[in-house]
């Protein structure tokens, strides 16, 4: 499949496809008649990239993750470290939002009890 077909079929923005192509992560030449041709392995990788984008990974972190993922066993460990770090950031954000909800509930409680 070419870039336009992949973008339409899998709802992947062309900008992400171009980003992926620029990283040169494939071992074989994927250019056919001037167009990049995507295979099943590319689609799998793009799925991972989309998931990382959805998780708010930065462009640089996504590229690093993908490069590490294609390495040997050490790459998997480094990927796990990146995921753990991102998980910790998300948990901290959740806890902050929970504290905000507690403050809202307190203020609601104050207002409710002031009329009694």
């Amino acid at each position: 499949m070419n870039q336009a077909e992949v973008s339409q079929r899998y709802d992947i923005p062309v900008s992400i496809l171009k980003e992926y192509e620029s990283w040169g992560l494939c071992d074989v030449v994927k250019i056919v008649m001037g167009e990049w041709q995507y295979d099943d392995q590319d689609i799998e990788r793009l799925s991972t990239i989309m998931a990382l984008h959805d998780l708010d990974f930065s462009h640089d972190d996504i590229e690093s993750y993908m490069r590490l993922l294609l390495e040997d066993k050490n790459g998997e460990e480094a990927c796990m470290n990146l995921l753990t770090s991102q998980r910790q950031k998300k948990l901290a954000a959740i806890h902050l939002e929970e504290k905000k909800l507690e403050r809202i509930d307190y203020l609601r409680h104050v207002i409710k009890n002031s009329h009694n």
Side-chain angles (χ1 to χ4, degrees), residues 22-78:
S22 75
W23 295 339
L25 295 173
C26 296
D27 297 331
V28 297
V29 176
K30 300 264 184 164
I31 303 292
V32 177
M33 297 183 65
E35 269 191 301
W36 185 280
Q37 296 297 308
Y38 292 87
D39 60 19
D40 290 342
Q41 189 176 39
D42 291 316
I43 302 304
E44 242 180 78
R45 290 176 184 162
L46 286 165
S47 175
T48 300
I49 290 168
M50 293 298 294
L52 296 173
H53 271 280
D54 291 346
L55 294 170
D56 301 322
F57 273 65
S58 70
H59 167 83
D60 291 340
D61 284 344
I62 293 172
E63 183 177 0
S64 295
Y65 183 94
M66 294 308 294
R67 288 187 184 286
L68 290 167
L69 191 63
L70 298 175
E71 286 183 6
D72 56 14
K73 184 122 173 118
N74 295 331
E76 288 180 2
E77 184 177 337

